[in-house]
Amino acid sequence: QVQLVESGGGLVQAGGSLRLSCAASGSILRINAMGWYRQAPGKQRELVALITSGSSTNYADSVKGRFTISRDIAKKTVFLQMNSLKPEDTDVYYCNANLQRTGRFTSQDYWGQGTQVTVSS
């Protein structure tokens, strides 16, 4: 059993900051990558930020310079520091992990439950 638990979402004024956290638990052999995606109603899910096991990072153009992804390897936790938030950042944010479970041959994608981020103008 693998579970991703998110926290840190909420309501903030434009220009403010939020920090999202996502902790993976269960019998995990290795985590290949963890990231954050967002999806507004009626729109497709899009990548916000990603960090790999080799510490490479990737950001959506719309958040570069404002968001920072980081991780705590020992705690199997990924963070998304969101600064200078804009109303356009309002979305449901989902944590994703590509990982291999102990005793399994292949890796799979796992998703968190989603957390609402609302930025008011």
Side-chain angles (χ1 to χ4, degrees), residues 24-47:
S25 63
S27 298
I28 299 170
L29 178 63
R30 64 171 60 88
I31 299 177
N32 302 309
M34 297 186 76
W36 293 92
Y37 294 72
R38 63 188 182 187
Q39 185 172 26
K43 297 183 179 180
Q44 67 180 35
R45 189 170 299 184
E46 65 175 358
L47 175 69

Side-chain angles (χ1 to χ4, degrees), residues 1-4 23-29 76 99-104 110:
Q1 304 93 333
V2 172
Q3 191 173 31
L4 303 181
S25 63
S27 298
I28 299 170
L29 178 63
K76 299 183 179 67
L99 58 85
Q100 183 176 357
R101 296 172 62 181
T102 55
R104 302 292 181 89
Y110 294 84

Side-chain angles (χ1 to χ4, degrees), residues 26-89:
S27 298
I28 299 170
L29 178 63
R30 64 171 60 88
I31 299 177
N32 302 309
M34 297 186 76
W36 293 92
Y37 294 72
R38 63 188 182 187
Q39 185 172 26
K43 297 183 179 180
Q44 67 180 35
R45 189 170 299 184
E46 65 175 358
L47 175 69
V48 177
L50 178 73
I51 186 166
T52 71
S53 61
S55 298
S56 297
T57 58
N58 182 253
Y59 296 92
D61 288 340
S62 60
V63 307
K64 287 181 179 177
R66 300 188 297 120
F67 291 9
T68 302
I69 190 168
S70 61
R71 63 179 177 173
D72 186 327
I73 296 176
K75 296 182 178 179
K76 299 183 179 67
T77 301
V78 65
F79 307 94
L80 185 66
Q81 179 66 46
M82 303 186 293
N83 298 326
S84 302
L85 282 162
K86 305 174 181 179
E88 306 93 273
D89 297 317

